[in-house]
Amino acid sequence: MPERDQSELSRARAALDARDWPVARAILERALAERPDDIGVALLLQDAELGAAGTEAQRVVERARERAASEGGFLANLLAARLEPERPAALAHARAAVSASPQNPWGHYAEAFLLAAGGDWIGAQAANARALELDGGHRAAARLEAAILARAGKLEAAIIALRAWLSAVEADPRIAPATRAGARLDLAQLLVLAREEEAALAELGRLPDEGGPEIRRACLEAAALQGLGRPAEALAASERAAAADPDALVPLVQQALLQQHHLRDPEAARALWERVLSSEESRAGLGHLVETLRARIARERGGGGTP
């Protein structure tokens, strides 16, 4: 990226992060007028418009739809796809963008992202591969590729891809700090799954103080510490996660397992499993059912054995 563009977008990023929407819009509108084909600038400008709209954000969505319907073309459909809440309609906009400019990787990426969001990972992989064929350094497609690899169980490849992405976007003002933090949390989770707990803790340590949801951060820290055989520290991390979201089940399950299998406190474990079970009537969902089943088995075994 040219130094002038980098400086300009850095000022826009600072304004966006400070929620100074008028300043961000002014910078980005000027940048887009100078570089009308710069999709990254167009996306940031759309973010600024959404922020400025506040509770009237639906109007921004409606204007994007209207522009796509009246103008057609690549950019109008790409921006409409990004905001459209109904996935079939969003996918139609993305495919219209691809038809309008099949050599632009952003349209293929948009299609891939929406397919992945709808659970069609095979279709997402094919569309994302087309984006990367057109631009091997496409930052959004590279990020999605890491997710596709992780979904396929290719942990090592996903870890390599995510590390490469984080390195590539470290100083890129087009990437929001929250997006980088989320990617680092994803990397830490993959490292825990790969039994690389020390590396996972190192990645968590690189997060800023406000880097990502505290509950996820603390749960990952607890899992890594547990894997390293440091149950007391793992319990403290899991307790921080529970404090961040008192209604979450995962920290309670973590604590129960630590008390039951590592700290050898069956009474504490039983009390924690009871807390998990007590939420059964008020909440639903597959994840909750799995966790409550684990709790029920553990309780029936009297706090012993593997839940």
Side-chain angles (χ1 to χ4, degrees), residues 58 60-70 80 84-85 93:
Q58 183 60 30
V60 180
V61 178
E62 291 167 359
R63 286 199 300 270
R65 285 180 186 147
E66 292 166 2
R67 183 183 172 193
S70 61
E84 177 57 60
H93 283 303

Side-chain angles (χ1 to χ4, degrees), residues 155-207:
L155 288 184
E156 184 176 353
I159 288 168
I160 291 170
L162 206 42
R163 278 179 167 152
W165 185 86
L166 281 164
S167 177
V169 304
E170 183 176 3
D172 191 333
R174 294 168 295 186
I175 306 299
T179 301
R180 272 192 292 269
R184 202 169 292 283
L185 286 169
D186 288 346
L187 176 56
Q189 183 168 339
L190 291 174
L191 289 166
V192 168
L193 291 172
R195 304 301 299 273
E196 297 183 40
E197 291 92 351
E198 291 284 9
L201 289 176
E203 292 298 338
L204 292 172
R206 292 188 181 99
L207 286 165

Side-chain angles (χ1 to χ4, degrees), residues 223-250:
L225 289 166
Q226 180 179 346
L228 290 170
R230 294 156 62 181
E233 294 170 80
L235 183 64
S238 187
E239 288 171 345
R240 287 204 316 275
D245 184 354
D247 294 327
L249 286 181
V250 171

